[in-house]
Amino acid sequence: MKKNSLYYFKRALMLSIPMAIFVIVRDLFDLELYNSSTILKTFAKGLFVGIITGLILGIINIFAKVDTLIKKE
């Protein structure tokens, strides 16, 4: 069964969501919670890290075909 490239990006984005949540929660411990601009910057930073990580993992997954190697074993 041939899979398109979007399949590998969906798998990688699902793996990067926990990383984005980790960055957001970690940075919330260091913030003053009364300032809404710092909270918005933290959420933006977490989403940026998650999306970039998902893209990198998706590209690696397309070229390495990690998903197909795992199923063959």
Side-chain angles (χ1 to χ4, degrees):
M1 183 168 112
K2 180 152 173 59
K3 295 176 182 155
N4 60 3
S5 298
L6 184 61
Y7 172 79
Y8 296 107
F9 278 107
K10 286 191 295 188
R11 303 269 302 194
L13 285 174
M14 292 304 284
L15 291 173
S16 67
I17 289 173
M19 181 170 279
I21 292 172
F22 171 76
V23 169
I24 291 170
V25 170
R26 185 196 62 186
D27 286 348
L28 281 178
F29 285 113
D30 297 333
L31 294 177
E32 304 89 27
L33 294 177
Y34 62 87
N35 193 351
S36 63
S37 67
T38 57
I39 294 173
L40 290 175
K41 285 181 186 177
T42 300
F43 279 104
K45 178 181 165 186
L47 289 174
F48 179 75
V49 166
I51 290 170
I52 295 299
T53 304
L55 288 174
I56 291 170
L57 288 174
I59 291 169
I60 290 171
N61 203 6
I62 285 173
F63 292 115
K65 305 256 191 287
V66 174
D67 189 45
T68 57
L69 292 175
I70 292 172
K71 288 185 180 180
K72 285 183 182 178
E73 292 178 355

